[in-house]
Amino acid sequence: MKNILSLFVLVLLFSACDDLFEPAIENNRGLEAMYNEPTYAQGILANAYILLPYSGTPNSDVATDDAVSNDNSNTYLAMATGSWTANSNPLSQWQGRRNAIQYLNLFLANVDQVVWSKDEVIRTMYNDRLKGEAYGLRAVQMYYLLLAHGGWTQDGRLLGVPILTEPETASSDFNLPRNTFQECVDQIIADANQAIELLPLDYGDIADAEIPNKYKTLGVSNAGDYNRVNGNHMRGRITGRIVEAVRAQVALLSASPAYSAGTDVSWEDAANFAATVLDRINGVSGLAANGGIWYEKNQVENLASGANHAEIIWRGDIGQSITLETDNFPPSLYGRGRVNPTQNLVDAFPTVNGYPITDPASGYDPANPYANRDPRLGKYIVVNESQQGPSSSTIVIGTYGTNNDVINKESGLSTRTGYYLRKLMRSDCNPDPQYNTEQKHYTARIRYTELFLAYAEAANEAWGPTGNGGHAYSAYDVIKAIRQRAGIGLDNDDAYLESVKGDQDTMRQLIRNERRLELCFENQRFWDLRRWKVANLNETARGMQIDKPSGSLIYSPINVEIRDYKDYMYHGPIPYGEIQKWSNLEQNVGW
């Protein structure tokens, strides 16, 4: 994967001039040059990797009930408070995804003519893998395009985006109508299936006896030839396993309430696609024991080149950085405190016995609200008088504090909610300009926990809390395992979960809450609220002010940010400029 950026540079060097000629000639190389230059050809494919839509920072979370930003110029803050329009959309995927799809279509239209090797068998293996990558990447890019721009029209049709499977040229018809949402889903699934057929499940060096039968029949008998194409050095690129996970994501979206009336994808389909991925790690028994803290020091430092944590299906490259910490550490640790978790999210964490804090059986004490809580609360959020940073500094956020960590003390630095972000960051980073200590980070593009929660959601809808549809585990089994891993309900056999396992509606709320907690600050919440079509999208973001007037802490909930989403915003817009240019491009209702 580290070579992909280098390949991209080669693509950028398409044009050059030779000053030996008078006048100088332009050496604009055509696509046919790729046929005998595999590096050039891979450079075209590399663009689709560079344009992948994943982010390692919690951008969209500040537009949900999970967080706010203390940066008044934040575009997601503007969006959430009433300034979201079809020509001002920080969530737009239109240009980036379509650019990537154009590169992929160019590659697919020419890949069969590339001489990857003079050995025909090795050439076939290269061609299979690289075509598989292109189909898989097109499925990813199309999924994010559909996620951001699919929606209902004024006349009640659920539309997706124009499907493009051929490269566009100067003579192409650009005034294309949108395909239906279902047609887009069908195209994504078709691309995914094609990719799964062509790609290895995983990349890795193998022995002679492990050569896949389809290549044995072509005469491959030396594992070295196979490893040259699909060995360890390819780790990080898209694989069959990754594409199976993307297929499950697409099915979950399609079966969800905001889309289900316009598709033929069922909850059972979504559960089965997720189970395909999970069965490969033996279902619930394969849930990574430390999967909830995949980002911490001990989980990152020991990863070999290209290797994955047991929690990770697909990740970005590991790199030295300090950006997350500089942006989100409290000001006393030389951070900007940008992402402020809300009281809404804090209240979603149960007590350690597994009961919601609204249940009398939880033992929740409003006068001591952070005691005996779900351990994930302390792992993901900095609460008043907890520790953070390389020297484990105590962060006083209450109004009795003496520095800018105090709630609303300094605009653009202090928290607005009474909380700071902990998840995703490394405590051994030090933004102090005297040290500026960077550490290793990576973006988790797809996690197993996400797929477990997708299965639990779909299985509960399809077969009820304890039904399994023929699989070896149910929604109940998944949620029990995730909560056990988190350290809640251990002393009482998770009595709350046991009390709701016969109630599909209550189990639905529990599954959604577990998804909220496990995937917080990973840019999932906004899309989940929209596909569930629930009222939380417009919920006022709240915080907690903590005073100490006479030696005792007084906790006072406060309203922080009024959200202003309209009903039609459960589906995003087609960019206004595109609607203005193309008469056949129909806008989603309300925009």
Side-chain angles (χ1 to χ4, degrees):
M1 286 299 290
K2 291 181 180 178
N3 292 328
I4 286 178
L5 288 176
S6 300
L7 292 171
F8 181 51
V9 172
L10 290 172
V11 174
L12 294 178
L13 295 176
F14 280 2
S15 60
C17 63
D18 188 344
D19 290 335
L20 294 176
F21 295 90
E22 281 293 328
I25 62 170
E26 288 188 1
N27 185 23
N28 292 320
R29 307 178 68 200
L31 281 170
E32 66 276 2
M34 71 186 280
Y35 300 156
N36 293 305
E37 296 185 48
T39 300
Y40 178 11
Q42 288 200 63
I44 296 172
L45 181 64
N47 285 278
Y49 278 103
I50 292 167
L51 290 168
L52 281 170
Y54 302 102
S55 172
T57 59
N59 302 321
S60 63
D61 292 77
V62 301
T64 76
D65 53 353
D66 277 2
V68 302
S69 174
N70 69 2
D71 178 6
N72 289 331
S73 65
N74 184 284
T75 55
Y76 293 94
L77 184 156
M79 183 187 85
T81 54
S83 299
W84 190 14
T85 66
N87 61 0
S88 179
N89 180 12
L91 291 163
S92 179
Q93 298 288 320
W94 193 266
Q95 199 61 53
R97 296 322 108 233
R98 286 170 63 95
N99 287 350
I101 289 170
Q102 169 71 355
Y103 280 116
L104 291 165
N105 288 342
L106 281 169
F107 182 81
L108 286 167
N110 292 276
V111 62
D112 288 335
Q113 300 178 69
V114 178
V115 182
W116 300 109
S117 172
K118 293 182 179 180
D119 183 304
E120 283 301 314
V121 174
I122 294 176
R123 179 178 178 174
T124 297
M125 287 195 291
Y126 270 118
N127 208 44
D128 283 356
R129 192 204 80 210
L130 290 160
K131 284 174 71 174
E133 287 184 55
Y135 283 118
L137 289 168
R138 194 165 70 181
V140 171
Q141 302 286 356
M142 187 71 168
Y143 166 58
Y144 274 86
L145 195 56
L146 195 60
L147 187 67
H149 300 290
W152 297 88
T153 60
Q154 186 67 46
D155 58 359
R157 291 172 298 137
L158 180 61
L159 297 185
V161 296
I163 295 175
L164 299 171
T165 58
E166 299 292 335
E168 292 178 297
T169 68
S171 60
S172 295
D173 180 6
F174 295 95
N175 191 15
L176 298 175
R178 296 164 65 187
N179 287 84
T180 67
F181 194 93
Q182 181 64 55
E183 288 169 341
C184 292
V185 170
D186 290 342
Q187 180 62 51
I188 296 171
I189 298 297
D191 277 350
N193 290 341
Q194 187 74 14
I196 291 165
E197 182 179 335
L198 292 169
L199 288 170
L201 182 66
D202 300 298
Y203 296 111
D205 292 342
I206 63 172
D208 290 347
E210 300 170 299
I211 297 171
N213 286 331
K214 69 175 180 177
Y215 295 130
K216 282 184 181 179
T217 59
L218 293 178
V220 178
S221 59
N222 181 356
D225 290 338
Y226 178 86
N227 295 339
R228 170 181 166 186
V229 180
N230 296 309
N232 288 340
H233 62 294
M234 288 295 113
R235 287 175 176 170
R237 295 189 179 215
I238 198 165
T239 65
R241 187 188 301 269
I242 294 165
V243 177
E244 287 177 347
V246 172
R247 188 174 60 180
Q249 291 174 323
V250 174
L252 184 72
L253 177 73
S254 304
S256 296
Y259 302 94
S260 60
T263 79
D264 61 13
V265 180
S266 67
W267 284 116
E268 185 172 5
D269 294 331
N272 288 334
F273 278 135
T276 297
V277 180
L278 302 177
D279 287 346
R280 295 192 183 282
I281 59 169
N282 297 317
V284 171
S285 64
L287 184 70
N290 52 7
I293 52 171
W294 53 267
Y295 54 89
E296 289 192 346
K297 173 182 177 180
N298 292 338
Q299 318 306 324
V300 180
E301 292 291 337
N302 299 323
L303 283 179
S305 177
N308 272 344
H309 185 287
E311 167 65 10
I312 304 301
I313 297 175
W314 198 18
R315 65 167 173 83
D317 287 338
I318 295 176
Q320 293 281 125
S321 72
I322 197 173
T323 304
L324 273 169
E325 292 75 18
T326 300
D327 282 346
N328 295 294
F329 269 4
S332 66
L333 299 178
Y334 299 90
R336 301 187 184 98
R338 286 293 186 236
V339 176
N340 307 155
T342 60
Q343 189 64 43
N344 315 52
L345 176 59
V346 170
D347 287 347
F349 289 88
T351 54
V352 73
N353 68 8
Y355 282 88
I357 65 170
T358 54
D359 193 309
S362 68
Y364 172 71
D365 181 2
N368 192 13
Y370 311 127
N372 300 314
R373 297 293 293 276
D374 180 340
R376 290 174 294 191
L377 174 59
K379 288 183 172 70
Y380 298 162
I381 296 173
V382 177
V383 304
N384 188 50
E385 296 192 5
S386 62
Q387 284 72 48
Q388 193 177 29
S391 58
S392 297
S393 302
T394 297
I395 308 301
V396 178
I397 308 172
T399 58
Y400 58 93
T402 58
N403 58 33
N404 285 336
D405 294 347
V406 170
I407 183 172
N408 290 321
K409 183 70 175 293
E410 181 71 26
S411 178
L413 283 176
S414 307
T415 175
R416 299 168 59 203
T417 63
Y419 302 101
Y420 290 99
L421 179 65
R422 188 188 307 278
K423 190 178 181 182
L424 306 178
M425 295 185 291
R426 288 187 50 165
S427 61
D428 51 348
C429 280
N430 192 347
D432 184 339
Q434 183 178 350
Y435 304 103
N436 204 33
T437 308
E438 298 181 338
Q439 300 294 354
K440 293 178 180 178
H441 298 74
Y442 65 87
T443 298
R445 293 169 177 162
I446 308 176
R447 299 206 283 131
Y448 277 108
T449 296
E450 178 192 342
L451 271 292
F452 274 111
L453 288 162
Y455 175 83
E457 180 180 340
N460 181 60
E461 301 297 339
W463 310 306
T466 56
N468 60 27
H471 301 291
Y473 43 95
S474 64
Y476 161 82
D477 295 324
V478 168
I479 297 304
K480 188 174 183 68
I482 289 174
R483 284 160 67 91
Q484 283 179 340
R485 181 179 72 179
I488 60 177
L490 300 183
D491 294 337
N492 62 352
D493 195 30
D494 205 345
Y496 179 72
L497 176 60
E498 295 302 315
S499 73
V500 305
K501 69 179 183 181
D503 185 330
Q504 186 183 48
D505 292 338
T506 308
M507 179 63 84
R508 178 185 302 118
Q509 298 309 313
L510 179 57
I511 291 169
R512 289 180 177 181
N513 197 66
E514 285 298 315
R515 185 177 177 93
R516 179 183 192 177
L517 302 184
E518 285 285 335
L519 304 182
C520 64
F521 310 116
E522 297 181 46
N523 294 304
Q524 297 274 0
R525 179 68 173 170
F526 181 82
W527 309 106
D528 284 341
L529 292 176
R530 291 212 312 172
R531 68 181 178 84
W532 292 331
K533 210 169 183 181
V534 291
N536 306 61
L537 191 62
N538 226 27
E539 187 174 290
T540 297
R542 296 179 287 108
M544 182 68 77
Q545 179 173 304
I546 307 172
D547 303 304
K548 198 175 183 180
S550 57
S552 297
L553 297 179
I554 305 297
Y555 296 86
S556 304
I558 58 173
N559 288 336
V560 175
E561 190 171 286
I562 305 297
R563 297 296 165 77
D564 187 14
Y565 290 108
K566 306 298 188 292
D567 287 345
Y568 62 82
M569 293 178 176
Y570 284 101
H571 301 91
I574 304 299
Y576 178 74
E578 298 298 310
I579 296 293
Q580 292 294 100
K581 285 188 293 187
W582 313 117
S583 61
N584 288 332
L585 200 58
E586 191 171 353
Q587 183 61 280
N588 290 329
V589 66
W591 295 98

